[in-house]
Each structure stands twice: as structure tokens, then as C-alpha cells.
Amino acid sequence: MVPSQSNTVPATVVNDQTGIGPRLRARRKVRGMSLQQVAARAEVSIGLLSQIERGLSMPSVRSLRAICAALEMPVGWLFDGPDAGQPDPVVVPRHRRRVLDLGDKGMVKELMTPDDCRGIQMMRLVIRPGGASGSTAYNHPEGAKCGTVLSGVLGLELDGVTHRIEAGDSFAFDATRMIRFWAEGVDETVVIWVVSPAVY
């Protein structure tokens, strides 16, 4: 089972000076919004938002989507990717994948589908030992999720029931179910994760 993590301020200092936090802060400045305004719209604390902007804390998926919605920006803008002109609407070469490093959550997500494909989204998740989606289960209002474990062992909790998914095993479930997931053991876990509709 994944170790319990705080819902507010993680004990680990992330020091994410070039990633999510500074990009959110830049977008907030462009929009001319205060920390208080964004926090109120996203329904997160001002303190947490400030720590996220300063690169000292990483938001949950739910909080990240809420903050981006408050800033009227797609979450996809936070993914790193090579700037090589107009992307192909069908093919995403390996070297062109956009990457989101979730820092203290111990997870890196690589987008494997083009941005224009909103009906479905495929990601490659690399979960470091001890890495997890968070201590609180979450869900989405519609759609489905499926995937396969390429290496390592994935711990997956669905509606309070824990599943151990080993390399070569696959899974599928409705996105409305409450989930948490994490890397089990001492090895890195690599997962191909598919969601419908796209969430980033």
C-alpha cells in the first residue's frame, strides 16, 4: 500500500523552479489575477497556491485542473515539449512527446497522442519507487480508463479495493470510479495509461 501523503503541504521540498509553478504564476500575471482570486475560483487555499507557484509543492491532478480552469488555460500548456513548428495531427514521434514531471509525487507523464485528439488520450507513466497519484482517491465525471504495465508493479485501488498489476497485465474501468495508484516495491513502474475523453 502506498504511504500516506498530506493533502496540503508535502514534507518534501520540490524546488520546481522551471516547471508547473512558475508557468502558473506567469499565466496568473498575464490574466491580471491575484492569488486570492485564483484560489477562490479553484477552491484551494491561498497558501497552497502560493507554494505551488514558488515550486515548493505539487498539486493533485484535481487541484491542477481546477487551477488551470480558474486561469482559463488548458492543462496541456504545462507539459514540456520540443518547439519544432506545427505538430502532426496524427503522429507523435517519441522525441516530440510533451512531458509533465509531477515532482514530489514521484511520477512523470508523457503525452503520446496529438493535442487535437480529444476523444481519447494515451500517456506513458513512469512512477518512481514510493511515487503515487496521492493519498486521496479521485475520479472523473465520465469516460473510461485502461492500460497495461510495461515494467515494475502497479498498485491500483478502485472504490477501496486494491489490485496488484504486474508487468504484462492490463486493466480497464469506468472513470467515475474512485481511484488511487502507486508503484509497488523498490523498482520503477512504467505504465501505458489511456483515458477517454482526454483529461489534459
Side-chain angles (χ1 to χ4, degrees), residues 139-157:
N139 68 350
H140 292 125
E142 62 176 342
K145 301 182 181 188
C146 66
T148 187
V149 177
L150 300 182
S151 63
V153 179
L154 179 72
L156 175 65
E157 180 186 298

PDB file of all heavy atoms in Angstrom, residues 139-157:
ATOM      1  N   ASN A 139     -11.812  10.790  -9.048  1.00  0.00           N
ATOM      2  CA  ASN A 139     -12.470  10.221 -10.220  1.00  0.00           C
ATOM      3  C   ASN A 139     -12.752  11.317 -11.232  1.00  0.00           C
ATOM      4  O   ASN A 139     -12.453  12.487 -10.982  1.00  0.00           O
ATOM      5  CB  ASN A 139     -13.762   9.481  -9.836  1.00  0.00           C
ATOM      6  CG  ASN A 139     -14.846  10.439  -9.346  1.00  0.00           C
ATOM      7  OD1 ASN A 139     -14.607  11.626  -9.103  1.00  0.00           O
ATOM      8  ND2 ASN A 139     -16.040   9.919  -9.189  1.00  0.00           N
ATOM      9  N   HIS A 140     -13.305  10.936 -12.368  1.00  0.00           N
ATOM     10  CA  HIS A 140     -13.729  11.885 -13.390  1.00  0.00           C
ATOM     11  C   HIS A 140     -15.223  11.680 -13.640  1.00  0.00           C
ATOM     12  O   HIS A 140     -15.749  10.588 -13.407  1.00  0.00           O
ATOM     13  CB  HIS A 140     -12.919  11.695 -14.674  1.00  0.00           C
ATOM     14  CG  HIS A 140     -11.481  12.089 -14.527  1.00  0.00           C
ATOM     15  ND1 HIS A 140     -10.448  11.235 -14.814  1.00  0.00           N
ATOM     16  CD2 HIS A 140     -10.908  13.240 -14.093  1.00  0.00           C
ATOM     17  CE1 HIS A 140      -9.297  11.844 -14.578  1.00  0.00           C
ATOM     18  NE2 HIS A 140      -9.549  13.053 -14.135  1.00  0.00           N
ATOM     19  N   PRO A 141     -15.920  12.707 -14.085  1.00  0.00           N
ATOM     20  CA  PRO A 141     -17.379  12.616 -14.211  1.00  0.00           C
ATOM     21  C   PRO A 141     -17.870  11.710 -15.334  1.00  0.00           C
ATOM     22  O   PRO A 141     -19.059  11.368 -15.371  1.00  0.00           O
ATOM     23  CB  PRO A 141     -17.803  14.062 -14.437  1.00  0.00           C
ATOM     24  CG  PRO A 141     -16.602  14.731 -15.022  1.00  0.00           C
ATOM     25  CD  PRO A 141     -15.426  14.067 -14.382  1.00  0.00           C
ATOM     26  N   GLU A 142     -16.986  11.320 -16.257  1.00  0.00           N
ATOM     27  CA  GLU A 142     -17.412  10.492 -17.386  1.00  0.00           C
ATOM     28  C   GLU A 142     -16.223   9.759 -17.964  1.00  0.00           C
ATOM     29  O   GLU A 142     -15.078  10.025 -17.627  1.00  0.00           O
ATOM     30  CB  GLU A 142     -18.043  11.369 -18.481  1.00  0.00           C
ATOM     31  CG  GLU A 142     -17.062  12.394 -19.049  1.00  0.00           C
ATOM     32  CD  GLU A 142     -17.634  13.198 -20.190  1.00  0.00           C
ATOM     33  OE1 GLU A 142     -18.632  12.769 -20.777  1.00  0.00           O
ATOM     34  OE2 GLU A 142     -17.060  14.256 -20.501  1.00  0.00           O
ATOM     35  N   GLY A 143     -16.513   8.812 -18.863  1.00  0.00           N
ATOM     36  CA  GLY A 143     -15.458   8.164 -19.621  1.00  0.00           C
ATOM     37  C   GLY A 143     -14.964   6.859 -19.017  1.00  0.00           C
ATOM     38  O   GLY A 143     -15.604   6.251 -18.161  1.00  0.00           O
ATOM     39  N   ALA A 144     -13.795   6.448 -19.486  1.00  0.00           N
ATOM     40  CA  ALA A 144     -13.199   5.186 -19.056  1.00  0.00           C
ATOM     41  C   ALA A 144     -11.680   5.309 -19.073  1.00  0.00           C
ATOM     42  O   ALA A 144     -11.129   6.223 -19.697  1.00  0.00           O
ATOM     43  CB  ALA A 144     -13.649   4.052 -19.973  1.00  0.00           C
ATOM     44  N   LYS A 145     -11.028   4.366 -18.392  1.00  0.00           N
ATOM     45  CA  LYS A 145      -9.574   4.320 -18.347  1.00  0.00           C
ATOM     46  C   LYS A 145      -9.139   2.876 -18.540  1.00  0.00           C
ATOM     47  O   LYS A 145      -9.826   1.942 -18.119  1.00  0.00           O
ATOM     48  CB  LYS A 145      -9.044   4.841 -17.005  1.00  0.00           C
ATOM     49  CG  LYS A 145      -9.467   6.266 -16.701  1.00  0.00           C
ATOM     50  CD  LYS A 145      -8.880   6.769 -15.400  1.00  0.00           C
ATOM     51  CE  LYS A 145      -9.353   8.194 -15.141  1.00  0.00           C
ATOM     52  NZ  LYS A 145      -8.668   8.818 -14.001  1.00  0.00           N
ATOM     53  N   CYS A 146      -7.988   2.703 -19.174  1.00  0.00           N
ATOM     54  CA  CYS A 146      -7.421   1.369 -19.311  1.00  0.00           C
ATOM     55  C   CYS A 146      -5.926   1.504 -19.495  1.00  0.00           C
ATOM     56  O   CYS A 146      -5.406   2.609 -19.647  1.00  0.00           O
ATOM     57  CB  CYS A 146      -8.050   0.611 -20.487  1.00  0.00           C
ATOM     58  SG  CYS A 146      -7.685   1.302 -22.114  1.00  0.00           S
ATOM     59  N   GLY A 147      -5.232   0.400 -19.449  1.00  0.00           N
ATOM     60  CA  GLY A 147      -3.796   0.462 -19.643  1.00  0.00           C
ATOM     61  C   GLY A 147      -3.134  -0.887 -19.465  1.00  0.00           C
ATOM     62  O   GLY A 147      -3.797  -1.903 -19.235  1.00  0.00           O
ATOM     63  N   THR A 148      -1.817  -0.853 -19.541  1.00  0.00           N
ATOM     64  CA  THR A 148      -1.019  -2.059 -19.335  1.00  0.00           C
ATOM     65  C   THR A 148       0.281  -1.664 -18.656  1.00  0.00           C
ATOM     66  O   THR A 148       0.809  -0.569 -18.887  1.00  0.00           O
ATOM     67  CB  THR A 148      -0.746  -2.780 -20.679  1.00  0.00           C
ATOM     68  OG1 THR A 148      -0.101  -4.021 -20.407  1.00  0.00           O
ATOM     69  CG2 THR A 148       0.131  -1.946 -21.595  1.00  0.00           C
ATOM     70  N   VAL A 149       0.788  -2.551 -17.817  1.00  0.00           N
ATOM     71  CA  VAL A 149       2.040  -2.320 -17.107  1.00  0.00           C
ATOM     72  C   VAL A 149       3.178  -2.883 -17.948  1.00  0.00           C
ATOM     73  O   VAL A 149       3.181  -4.065 -18.286  1.00  0.00           O
ATOM     74  CB  VAL A 149       2.009  -2.973 -15.709  1.00  0.00           C
ATOM     75  CG1 VAL A 149       3.353  -2.797 -15.004  1.00  0.00           C
ATOM     76  CG2 VAL A 149       0.893  -2.365 -14.863  1.00  0.00           C
ATOM     77  N   LEU A 150       4.136  -2.018 -18.276  1.00  0.00           N
ATOM     78  CA  LEU A 150       5.279  -2.451 -19.081  1.00  0.00           C
ATOM     79  C   LEU A 150       6.389  -3.027 -18.215  1.00  0.00           C
ATOM     80  O   LEU A 150       7.076  -3.968 -18.614  1.00  0.00           O
ATOM     81  CB  LEU A 150       5.812  -1.277 -19.901  1.00  0.00           C
ATOM     82  CG  LEU A 150       4.845  -0.626 -20.885  1.00  0.00           C
ATOM     83  CD1 LEU A 150       5.548   0.498 -21.650  1.00  0.00           C
ATOM     84  CD2 LEU A 150       4.275  -1.660 -21.858  1.00  0.00           C
ATOM     85  N   SER A 151       6.600  -2.429 -17.035  1.00  0.00           N
ATOM     86  CA  SER A 151       7.625  -2.932 -16.121  1.00  0.00           C
ATOM     87  C   SER A 151       7.279  -2.514 -14.702  1.00  0.00           C
ATOM     88  O   SER A 151       6.526  -1.561 -14.489  1.00  0.00           O
ATOM     89  CB  SER A 151       9.016  -2.402 -16.518  1.00  0.00           C
ATOM     90  OG  SER A 151       9.075  -0.997 -16.410  1.00  0.00           O
ATOM     91  N   GLY A 152       7.823  -3.255 -13.736  1.00  0.00           N
ATOM     92  CA  GLY A 152       7.521  -2.968 -12.339  1.00  0.00           C
ATOM     93  C   GLY A 152       6.152  -3.509 -11.958  1.00  0.00           C
ATOM     94  O   GLY A 152       5.565  -4.333 -12.664  1.00  0.00           O
ATOM     95  N   VAL A 153       5.641  -3.024 -10.831  1.00  0.00           N
ATOM     96  CA  VAL A 153       4.340  -3.452 -10.325  1.00  0.00           C
ATOM     97  C   VAL A 153       3.525  -2.220  -9.963  1.00  0.00           C
ATOM     98  O   VAL A 153       4.003  -1.341  -9.254  1.00  0.00           O
ATOM     99  CB  VAL A 153       4.483  -4.372  -9.089  1.00  0.00           C
ATOM    100  CG1 VAL A 153       3.101  -4.786  -8.576  1.00  0.00           C
ATOM    101  CG2 VAL A 153       5.327  -5.589  -9.422  1.00  0.00           C
ATOM    102  N   LEU A 154       2.295  -2.166 -10.460  1.00  0.00           N
ATOM    103  CA  LEU A 154       1.390  -1.061 -10.182  1.00  0.00           C
ATOM    104  C   LEU A 154       0.388  -1.465  -9.112  1.00  0.00           C
ATOM    105  O   LEU A 154      -0.271  -2.501  -9.227  1.00  0.00           O
ATOM    106  CB  LEU A 154       0.642  -0.666 -11.458  1.00  0.00           C
ATOM    107  CG  LEU A 154      -0.383   0.483 -11.320  1.00  0.00           C
ATOM    108  CD1 LEU A 154       0.335   1.812 -11.131  1.00  0.00           C
ATOM    109  CD2 LEU A 154      -1.306   0.536 -12.538  1.00  0.00           C
ATOM    110  N   GLY A 155       0.271  -0.659  -8.072  1.00  0.00           N
ATOM    111  CA  GLY A 155      -0.802  -0.816  -7.102  1.00  0.00           C
ATOM    112  C   GLY A 155      -1.954   0.069  -7.534  1.00  0.00           C
ATOM    113  O   GLY A 155      -1.759   1.254  -7.791  1.00  0.00           O
ATOM    114  N   LEU A 156      -3.134  -0.503  -7.667  1.00  0.00           N
ATOM    115  CA  LEU A 156      -4.300   0.248  -8.141  1.00  0.00           C
ATOM    116  C   LEU A 156      -5.469   0.002  -7.194  1.00  0.00           C
ATOM    117  O   LEU A 156      -5.887  -1.137  -6.999  1.00  0.00           O
ATOM    118  CB  LEU A 156      -4.673  -0.184  -9.557  1.00  0.00           C
ATOM    119  CG  LEU A 156      -5.948   0.417 -10.161  1.00  0.00           C
ATOM    120  CD1 LEU A 156      -5.803   1.919 -10.357  1.00  0.00           C
ATOM    121  CD2 LEU A 156      -6.280  -0.257 -11.490  1.00  0.00           C
ATOM    122  N   GLU A 157      -5.980   1.082  -6.598  1.00  0.00           N
ATOM    123  CA  GLU A 157      -7.141   0.989  -5.720  1.00  0.00           C
ATOM    124  C   GLU A 157      -8.366   1.511  -6.451  1.00  0.00           C
ATOM    125  O   GLU A 157      -8.360   2.632  -6.957  1.00  0.00           O
ATOM    126  CB  GLU A 157      -6.911   1.803  -4.448  1.00  0.00           C
ATOM    127  CG  GLU A 157      -8.081   1.768  -3.478  1.00  0.00           C
ATOM    128  CD  GLU A 157      -7.867   2.697  -2.304  1.00  0.00           C
ATOM    129  OE1 GLU A 157      -6.890   2.472  -1.550  1.00  0.00           O
ATOM    130  OE2 GLU A 157      -8.649   3.645  -2.141  1.00  0.00           O
TER     131      GLU A 157
END
